[in-house]
Amino acid sequence: MSIKNYHHGDLKKQMILKGLELLNEKGTDGFSLRKIAAMCDVSHTAPYKHFKDKHDLINEISNYVISEFDNSIINSLDKSLNPKDLMIEIGKSYIKFMVENSNYLKFLMFNDSLFSAKMVDGDILNSNSKSFNIFKDNAIKMFECYGIEKEEYTLNIITMWSVVQGVSVLVANKNIVLDCDYDILLDKILRNKLKLD
């Protein structure tokens, strides 16, 4: 009879990644630390060295996904670019991350409280994602450069967010097969929608 190991490699990270797969496949009702232990080929008690319970692991998965996404946007920033070109780069990084990490995209889509915003007095706010705030702050700089009225800021931010999220889903799910790079498509869409040229 084989004895399963308690540790091998970075077990905590492996459990987060396997937990992400399981959550996307089975949802919270089909999620358990025992199942994660089996997926990681460790003893059913091993997860408790890292997580109090399944809710603790789910919370860690949420934090990990948001952190990975935020870091991908932060690491893509080229502050030497003008606000319009930087906005395009942020959009491209958003789509690239979601397309290359479809498990993350699915998780974020079905956990709307993780990556969501709310309208307050005509402004759009998000408190749990650095990347959203980077996106919004740079959008405002771009609007200022083009003399866009403040009353149009929120609508334009929602439009741009819808575009990058929509293209992400379409490309990641292979609902559309492009005959060009998505960064070229995104550039054209944003310029057309926002009348930037």
Side-chain angles (χ1 to χ4, degrees):
M1 183 167 70
S2 65
I3 300 173
K4 296 193 175 196
N5 295 325
Y6 278 86
H7 297 284
H8 59 93
D10 187 350
L11 180 59
K12 183 175 182 178
K13 183 174 179 181
Q14 185 184 8
M15 294 181 75
I16 288 170
L17 295 175
K18 292 293 185 183
L20 175 61
E21 289 177 26
L22 186 61
L23 270 177
N24 281 342
E25 185 182 338
K26 302 290 186 183
T28 54
D29 290 342
F31 186 89
S32 72
L33 290 182
R34 186 175 287 270
K35 288 179 183 176
I36 298 301
M39 291 173 76
C40 294
D41 195 32
V42 294
S43 162
H44 69 274
T45 61
Y48 294 96
K49 292 188 178 289
H50 302 281
F51 309 104
K52 292 184 300 186
D53 53 31
K54 80 173 194 174
H55 301 292
D56 189 30
L57 174 52
I58 291 170
N59 188 55
E60 285 290 323
I61 292 167
S62 300
N63 292 337
Y64 180 82
V65 170
I66 289 290
S67 176
E68 288 291 296
F69 179 55
D70 286 345
N71 288 336
S72 76
I73 298 298
I74 291 165
N75 292 334
S76 73
L77 296 177
D78 181 351
K79 297 192 177 179
S80 69
L81 295 175
N82 64 55
K84 178 183 70 177
D85 291 336
L86 184 54
M87 195 78 247
I88 300 295
E89 288 302 311
I90 291 170
K92 285 164 32 179
S93 297
Y94 186 115
I95 295 171
K96 185 174 191 279
F97 179 85
M98 295 301 182
V99 169
E100 293 179 359
N101 299 282
S102 57
N103 268 349
Y104 295 39
L105 172 62
K106 186 174 181 182
F107 184 74
L108 290 168
M109 292 277 293
F110 291 103
N111 293 276
D112 55 0
S113 62
L114 290 179
F115 193 62
S116 59
K118 61 182 177 180
M119 298 268 293
V120 178
D121 297 326
D123 194 9
I124 187 165
L125 306 172
N126 177 287
S127 59
N128 63 352
S129 172
K130 293 176 190 171
S131 53
F132 179 86
N133 295 319
I134 289 168
F135 173 77
K136 177 185 171 183
D137 292 346
N138 191 73
I140 290 171
K141 287 178 187 172
M142 183 180 71
F143 300 154
E144 289 170 347
C145 286
Y146 283 90
I148 293 173
E149 297 292 328
K150 285 188 177 180
E151 296 76 25
E152 297 179 31
Y153 284 9
T154 296
L155 182 59
N156 283 332
I157 288 169
I158 293 171
T159 299
M160 290 190 299
W161 188 11
S162 299
V163 168
V164 294
Q165 181 66 14
V167 172
S168 297
V169 171
L170 289 171
V171 175
N173 291 340
K174 297 183 174 44
N175 298 123
I176 184 171
V177 178
L178 302 176
D179 62 356
C180 64
D181 290 336
Y182 50 73
D183 55 338
I184 295 171
L185 177 67
L186 181 66
D187 187 282
K188 289 179 179 177
I189 291 171
L190 289 179
R191 288 175 197 275
N192 178 267
K193 277 290 188 190
L194 300 175
K195 312 274 189 282
L196 295 182
D197 289 327

